[in-house]
Amino acid sequence: MSGAPRISLLLDLPEGLDKLRAKAAGEGFRFMEKLAAEWLSGANRFAGPGEVLLGAFQATELVAVGGLNRDPYADQAGIGRLRHLYVKKSARRSGLGTTLVLQLLGHAEGTFHSVRLKTDTSEAADFYVSLGFWPVQDRTATHVRWFQRS
């Protein structure tokens, strides 16, 4: 990759999402299909308090996406959920995924007291642990990160 990637707030599904969805599906990740389907149906537009959908662009190419919602699986307020985080294979290990997650967590602070997620790969699990998430035994989440209260 050449040049610094630009991370932007997404207010609509960006051009290039179909290519990124195809790359994710080729790796066996189907959550990008869910992102598009829920957006198109209106079921999830990342529009609630503290919610956001971010995209990372290399020049004009969408190379990563990630969202933050109120956790729909939690039965209490104040819990966010990282969702649909995908970084194109050629953009991994460049710091882009870290930057994207840290920006999502920045949006979460002040609205959520914790953020949960679910992953099914050991590589992603190690990545999230490196960013301060803790493994949890829960049927709806594999990792959680708490925010310090002042």
Side-chain angles (χ1 to χ4, degrees):
M1 291 189 349
S2 61
R6 169 181 51 88
I7 297 178
S8 300
L9 176 65
L10 299 177
L11 301 175
D12 205 346
L13 294 182
E15 188 173 319
L17 184 68
D18 288 339
K19 282 177 66 175
L20 202 61
R21 281 172 45 196
K23 293 212 177 276
E27 292 183 63
F29 300 122
R30 303 281 179 228
F31 57 82
M32 293 291 289
E33 296 298 325
K34 186 174 182 179
L35 165 66
E38 287 182 344
W39 185 282
L40 294 173
S41 74
N44 185 7
R45 294 274 175 97
F46 299 88
E51 296 184 341
V52 64
L53 181 64
L54 300 178
F57 296 85
Q58 186 68 40
T60 59
E61 180 187 9
L62 180 68
V63 296
V65 67
L68 174 70
N69 285 123
R70 182 194 63 75
D71 191 334
Y73 306 107
D75 58 1
Q76 59 180 308
I79 301 175
R81 187 173 192 94
L82 284 187
R83 302 191 73 195
H84 312 306
L85 185 79
Y86 179 76
V87 178
K88 182 178 166 183
K89 199 169 200 170
S90 64
R92 293 180 194 153
R93 303 208 179 275
S94 67
L96 178 58
T98 297
T99 300
L100 190 58
V101 169
L102 292 178
Q103 285 198 21
L104 290 166
L105 291 173
H107 283 278
E109 279 191 282
T111 302
F112 303 113
H113 60 75
S114 64
V115 172
R116 300 179 345 141
L117 62 93
K118 185 170 187 171
T119 187
D120 55 5
T121 69
S122 60
E123 182 180 33
D126 291 345
F127 168 72
Y128 288 116
V129 167
S130 78
L131 294 175
F133 284 84
W134 289 86
V136 294
Q137 299 296 320
D138 185 297
R139 68 176 184 77
T140 63
T142 58
H143 293 81
V144 65
R145 179 166 168 178
W146 294 274
F147 297 112
Q148 288 187 331
R149 297 187 184 212
S150 38

